[in-house]
Amino acid sequence: MQLAAIVVSLVLAAVGIALFARAIAQIYRFVRLGQPVPEGLRTDEPGARTLTVAREFFGHTRMNRWGVIGFAHWFVAVGFFALVLTLVHAMGQLFRADWTLPLIGTWAPYEIFTEFIGLMTTLGIITLIVVRLLSLPSRAGRKSRFAGSKAGQAYFVEYVILTIGVAILVLRGLEGALHGVDGYEAAYFVSYPLVAAFEGLSVSALQNLTYLVALIKIGTSFVWMIVVGLNTNMGVAWHRFLAFPNIWFKRDAQGGTALGELRPMVSGGKEIDFETALDDDNEEEVRFGASQVEDFSWKGLLDFSTCTECGRCQSQCPAWNTGKPLSPKLLIMSLRDHAHAKAPYLLAGGGKTMEGEEKATDEQLKDVPQSALDEAERPLIGTAEENGVIDPDVLWSCTTCGACVEQCPVDIEHVDHIVDMRRYQVMIESAFPSEAGTMLKNLEKKGNPWGLAKKQRLEWTKELAEATGFEVPVVGKTVEDLTEVDYLYWVGCAGALEDRAKKTTKAFAELLHIAGVNFAIMGGDEKCTGDSPRRLGNEFLFQQLGEENVATLNAAFGEDDEDESTKKPASKKKIVATCPHCFNTLANEYPQLGGHYEVIHHTQLLQHLVDEGKLVPVTPVEGLITYHDPCYLGRHNKVYTPPREIIGKVPGLRNEEMHRHKERGFCCGAGGARMWMEERIGKRINNERVDEALSLNPDIVSTACPFCLVMLTDSVNGKKNDAQAKEDLRVVDVAQLLLDSVRTPGDDGGSSDGPSDEPEKEESTEPEPAN
Ligand code: SF4
Ligand code: SF4
């Protein structure tokens, strides 16, 4: 028995370690196939990065949001590393059953630690197994976050851990019996019942049992290592190792999620300069986005390999939850499996030029397996008939809401990868949903998505002046430049041109006036910030719009681009925006174009004005309200509290949260340029969101984004027509609610829309977005 156990264990260990070492080298070479990233981007602040890894690992910061699952996983993860010494111990036990680790083997604190972690790892993995079994895709369908995950691999890993955990405790029991423990001892506080159970056995029986259980423990461990070593794309196992570098190299060294800004387009590790990128005499081959899997950066390839297939991203994805083909998990898995299958071809020097010609010689490719050559022929984006890796419907279903990124426990940057693929499709292939083309053309010609004349941007000011007598200050007209005011109010295209959004604009301007805030708006020369084209993948158009806006803004703030002495710090260039998309672009993306401003959202300023007593909500607004978090305000910029605080200050309102709120808020369906595309597959996302709101039977659905306002209003109006929503249900921006409450009953001020707490009845007369 002993000899057989030793031989089998040593053979498995030797094979396992060799294959595992080979796999690490393969993964290293595989990841290096990706494109370089700009210098320092992923390696700045090494100390902060290390702290971030420690915080995320020991704090299990994402997983712990999932209650008991995070707790259970913590012990499984920590146990994996903490119990390595038990493997060494088991090896020694094969040679001498009563062997213990030198120095610490019989040290009570170490023994207690081993027993505790062994027990908790076992209980932890049982919990995770039960969670998986309770949510099998066969029972829960799309509701299961495991739908599409490789169940066989997950079961294998889970049962390996369970076996090892149980073996550790049994070995402890045998150790106690062999060492003559004859009463309860703290060092055996978990395994003492086993010690007692083994008490009557002979020494040789105890020894043989020790050899057998040690063999099971060692054999299971190294069989796991062999399987994992042979499957470098087995994310459910490899995430244990790859999560550490993946988190260390994340976008934000301080630990923030890869949300908010999109990164500029990069080729060969350098930001693309569109002025020279397309020149014929430009010798460098410029890659626009990702057309092949090797076009992703090495961090992208590391991301794909790290996915543990937990499905947390999928469970939050609005596209997946409304029956669309996109699941962020399945997308990452598809990219991973494709990349790994194609890797032998790429490692042999294979690859295609931008013109589609093969770079490698026949000699280089002669030993590449046919399966890898076949994989290399698959288009990255293509339908099932085209044998594509990612279906176009998957690519275009994304709203860039960021729910996936927010939830991913190993910090995968889904949105960046999706946008990179869109960039190639839009900029090189011109392959994108045709409806979005109208928006792009309008932006190119008129600077706004509706294609309206620029003078219409100021129409709302006239309407407000007629209703209230208040003339909104305009830069270049009423005020010379923005040095005379405290805030530039950036109205945005929707806020200036879309009827429903204009109500928010007017309400906010009136509130600023009431509070005595010294502000002004741009005079109509401003353009769309470029949020939609950028998220659609048209980086060129984004840069064009952005650069024009930055020049216009800097000039409005009294800066002369030619004269350094006129430059002002961001704190002297304050902007308030009612649109979270504008807010995000101005605050987080314009610095990439040389525009540095201090930008806040209107709910933040309103909260401040209420707190300062400059706005006093007095008039009750009766009813049950539920607040919808705009993704680009909440998840992308972490502004959750101000809108709720304002609602809380309005007398009469009773606030009730929807099930999915704050970090887990559910998109309205408009982000990622989806506002400008038809929604042909599955249930409409805005209807799903409104159904959730309706389950609370609210009187008011509130939000803080013009896009959300339009999407939710559309859905509510449709449901009113179908008698699924009560006629007096309103969808309003937080600013409108506050204005209603700030006004006193005798106050005859008001916008031309009449009191904004009137039920929303009229249809928009402005050109509508595609959906
Ligand atoms: S960003 Fe939102 S819509 Fe896009 S994949 Fe992630 S969760 Fe789904
Ligand atoms: S991408 Fe992240 S959240 Fe989604 S399945 Fe993979 S590890 Fe889980």
Side-chain angles (χ1 to χ4, degrees):
M1 175 72 216
Q2 184 183 16
L3 185 61
I6 290 173
V7 170
V8 172
S9 295
L10 290 182
V11 169
L12 286 174
V15 176
I17 290 169
L19 288 175
F20 196 72
R22 187 187 69 159
I24 290 173
Q26 284 173 338
I27 290 176
Y28 178 71
R29 286 191 298 144
F30 165 78
V31 169
R32 284 174 59 93
L33 287 169
Q35 299 299 309
V37 298
E39 212 179 310
L41 185 70
R42 301 280 179 181
T43 49
D44 59 336
E45 302 182 62
R49 289 180 178 278
T50 307
L51 273 178
T52 295
V53 173
R55 193 171 52 243
E56 290 202 17
F57 177 68
F58 290 111
H60 259 49
T61 42
R62 303 290 168 72
M63 299 277 289
N64 279 337
R65 294 178 189 167
W66 293 68
V68 70
I69 299 174
F71 189 67
H73 189 273
W74 192 90
F75 280 102
V76 172
V78 170
F80 179 79
F81 297 101
L83 295 173
V84 168
L85 283 181
T86 64
L87 188 62
V88 178
H89 187 188
M91 275 287 188
Q93 285 171 309
L94 285 177
F95 293 89
R96 219 185 75 197
D98 62 350
W99 185 80
T100 54
L101 291 170
L103 303 178
I104 56 169
T106 53
W107 185 46
Y110 171 72
E111 292 185 278
I112 291 169
F113 172 77
T114 304
E115 295 240 330
F116 177 67
I117 296 287
L119 172 70
M120 294 311 287
T121 300
T122 308
L123 293 178
I125 200 66
I126 290 172
T127 306
L128 297 184
I129 290 171
V130 170
V131 166
R132 185 178 294 277
L133 293 176
L134 287 177
S135 180
L136 286 178
S138 53
R139 280 191 224 148
R142 278 199 171 211
K143 292 272 174 238
S144 165
R145 64 185 168 91
F146 303 114
S149 299
K150 294 182 179 174
Q153 292 186 349
Y155 287 137
F156 171 75
V157 168
E158 286 170 349
Y159 289 105
V160 159
I161 297 169
L162 180 60
T163 307
I164 293 172
V166 171
I168 287 170
L169 296 176
V170 175
L171 280 173
R172 284 287 300 158
L174 288 164
E175 187 183 338
L178 277 168
H179 287 200
V181 173
D182 55 4
Y184 174 79
E185 287 181 20
Y188 291 90
F189 80 101
V190 177
S191 64
Y192 181 69
L194 290 167
V195 177
F198 294 135
E199 212 174 355
L201 296 181
S202 67
V203 171
S204 78
L206 288 172
Q207 286 171 334
N208 280 329
L209 267 176
T210 302
Y211 303 142
L212 177 67
V213 181
L215 170 65
I216 291 171
K217 174 169 166 41
I218 296 165
T220 308
S221 300
F222 286 107
V223 165
W224 175 84
M225 209 174 242
I226 290 168
V227 171
V228 168
L230 290 171
N231 294 280
T232 49
N233 64 343
M234 191 171 167
V236 69
W238 278 105
H239 81 275
R240 287 174 170 219
F241 308 100
L242 299 180
F244 295 99
N246 208 50
I247 294 171
W248 200 89
F249 289 118
K250 69 191 287 186
R251 235 168 62 171
D252 179 6
Q254 302 293 337
T257 49
L259 294 173
E261 63 170 337
L262 280 178
R263 296 296 309 154
M265 269 173 81
V266 168
S267 175
K270 290 191 219 125
E271 282 181 24
I272 293 181
D273 180 350
F274 287 102
E275 306 228 327
T276 58
L278 295 171
D279 287 355
D280 289 340
D281 53 357
N282 184 7
E283 289 179 6
E284 284 178 41
E285 187 184 70
V286 180
R287 289 163 183 261
F288 289 85
S291 67
Q292 309 279 330
V293 79
E294 62 270 27
D295 291 341
F296 289 103
S297 72
W298 58 261
K299 176 59 168 65
L301 297 187
L302 184 59
D303 267 3
F304 307 155
S305 302
T306 308
C307 175
T308 172
E309 303 179 20
C310 67
R312 285 178 179 79
C313 54
Q314 178 175 284
S315 71
Q316 306 298 306
C317 175
W320 180 257
N321 277 290
T322 52
K324 297 173 182 57
L326 166 64
S327 145
K329 174 185 75 180
L330 300 180
L331 177 123
I332 295 294
M333 285 170 64
S334 299
L335 292 170
R336 176 195 66 197
D337 292 346
H338 169 64
H340 278 267
K342 190 177 177 182
Y345 160 81
L346 295 171
L347 287 167
K352 297 273 170 42
T353 63
M354 290 293 278
E355 290 74 39
E357 286 161 19
E358 179 57 59
K359 290 182 195 165
T361 61
D362 290 347
E363 179 63 19
Q364 282 176 292
L365 298 181
K366 73 176 180 353
D367 295 327
V368 175
Q370 187 57 44
S371 58
L373 294 174
D374 292 344
E375 194 70 28
E377 292 305 315
R378 296 181 68 191
L380 186 67
I381 305 298
T383 59
E385 294 75 49
E386 294 162 340
N387 197 22
V389 179
I390 303 294
D391 193 281
D393 282 333
V394 169
L395 186 66
W396 297 110
S397 291
C398 179
T399 67
T400 68
C401 72
C404 47
V405 179
E406 179 71 40
Q407 291 300 329
C408 182
V410 291
D411 282 322
I412 288 170
E413 300 166 355
H414 315 68
V415 173
D416 290 358
H417 305 319
I418 289 170
V419 171
D420 261 345
M421 289 187 279
R422 287 183 172 188
R423 284 168 168 171
Y424 180 82
Q425 293 301 308
V426 170
M427 299 186 66
I428 302 298
E429 299 286 339
S430 288
F432 54 90
S434 55
E435 321 87 76
T438 313
M439 177 267 292
L440 293 180
K441 274 198 208 93
N442 287 337
L443 288 177
E444 281 163 11
K445 287 195 185 131
K446 301 282 186 183
N448 68 74
W450 288 276
L452 297 174
K454 80 173 187 182
K455 66 177 186 329
Q456 284 192 247
R457 279 188 176 272
L458 297 181
E459 283 300 304
W460 68 270
T461 59
K462 294 178 194 152
E463 293 162 18
L464 185 64
E466 275 168 29
T468 65
F470 170 54
E471 300 275 352
V472 177
V474 180
V475 178
K477 295 193 171 96
T478 337
V479 294
E480 191 175 329
D481 65 27
L482 292 166
T483 52
E484 297 175 31
V485 300
D486 295 329
Y487 286 97
L488 164 68
Y489 169 25
W490 180 273
V491 179
C493 300
L497 302 168
E498 206 287 332
D499 270 2
R500 287 161 287 189
K502 271 160 67 175
K503 292 182 182 175
T504 307
T505 309
K506 286 183 255 185
F508 180 59
E510 199 177 334
L511 284 166
L512 291 181
H513 175 57
I514 292 169
V517 176
N518 190 6
F519 76 103
I521 62 166
M522 299 298 285
D525 288 332
E526 76 276 27
K527 303 201 160 157
C528 165
T529 54
D531 163 86
S532 285
R534 192 173 215 197
R535 273 138 194 93
L536 187 77
N538 196 332
E539 184 73 3
F540 178 70
L541 183 53
F542 162 73
Q543 286 209 9
Q544 211 175 28
L545 293 165
E547 281 168 5
E548 285 177 40
N549 278 332
V550 167
T552 311
L553 280 169
N554 288 352
F557 278 110
E559 290 185 354
D560 178 352
D561 282 346
E562 308 286 307
D563 183 356
E564 271 302 307
S565 67
T566 61
K567 297 279 173 212
K568 297 184 174 66
S571 59
K572 298 271 180 222
K573 296 182 283 182
K574 291 187 177 159
I575 302 178
V576 59
T578 31
C579 171
H581 298 265
C582 296
F583 165 55
N584 181 60
T585 309
L586 291 164
N588 301 324
E589 300 190 338
Y590 277 11
Q592 297 166 10
L593 305 172
H596 299 272
Y597 315 104
E598 193 177 292
V599 191
I600 55 170
H601 187 248
H602 74 295
T603 54
Q604 293 173 298
L605 182 54
L606 290 178
Q607 185 205 351
H608 178 70
L609 294 171
V610 170
D611 288 348
E612 278 198 327
K614 291 185 175 162
L615 291 174
V616 186
V618 284
T619 306
V621 179
E622 297 295 342
L624 180 71
I625 185 168
T626 190
Y627 173 73
H628 162 83
D629 285 285
C631 302
Y632 275 79
L633 185 63
R635 263 189 304 269
H636 282 272
N637 284 290
K638 316 292 173 231
V639 179
Y640 297 112
T641 310
R644 291 178 167 82
E645 294 256 317
I646 294 167
I647 288 170
K649 292 274 167 59
V650 173
L653 283 179
R654 287 167 289 123
N655 187 22
E656 200 166 328
E657 296 285 1
M658 283 183 261
H659 176 63
R660 295 177 281 201
H661 64 279
K662 293 189 176 171
E663 287 91 353
R664 292 200 187 184
F666 194 80
C667 182
C668 71
R674 289 285 331 164
M675 176 93 173
W676 316 102
M677 299 180 218
E678 299 290 353
E679 194 173 335
R680 297 189 184 90
I681 307 173
K683 182 177 178 181
R684 288 177 61 88
I685 293 174
N686 58 347
N687 284 339
E688 171 75 9
R689 187 51 165 166
V690 165
D691 281 343
E692 187 174 354
L694 290 182
S695 69
L696 302 174
N697 193 23
D699 303 298
I700 304 166
V701 177
S702 183
T703 189
C705 168
F707 284 9
C708 297
L709 193 76
V710 169
M711 297 301 275
L712 298 176
T713 306
D714 277 350
S715 175
V716 164
N717 286 346
K719 287 187 183 292
K720 283 181 185 175
N721 289 341
D722 297 342
Q724 291 172 8
K726 55 191 183 191
E727 271 305 313
D728 56 355
L729 174 63
R730 294 181 292 141
V731 183
V732 290
D733 188 279
V734 173
Q736 290 168 268
L737 283 173
L738 183 60
L739 180 61
D740 289 348
S741 186
V742 164
R743 285 184 188 142
T744 48
D747 195 347
D748 57 358
S751 72
S752 56
D753 308 304
S756 56
D757 58 348
E758 282 301 309
E760 177 76 52
K761 284 213 175 87
E762 74 274 44
E763 294 293 327
S764 167
T765 53
E766 298 292 355
E768 289 288 319
N771 55 355

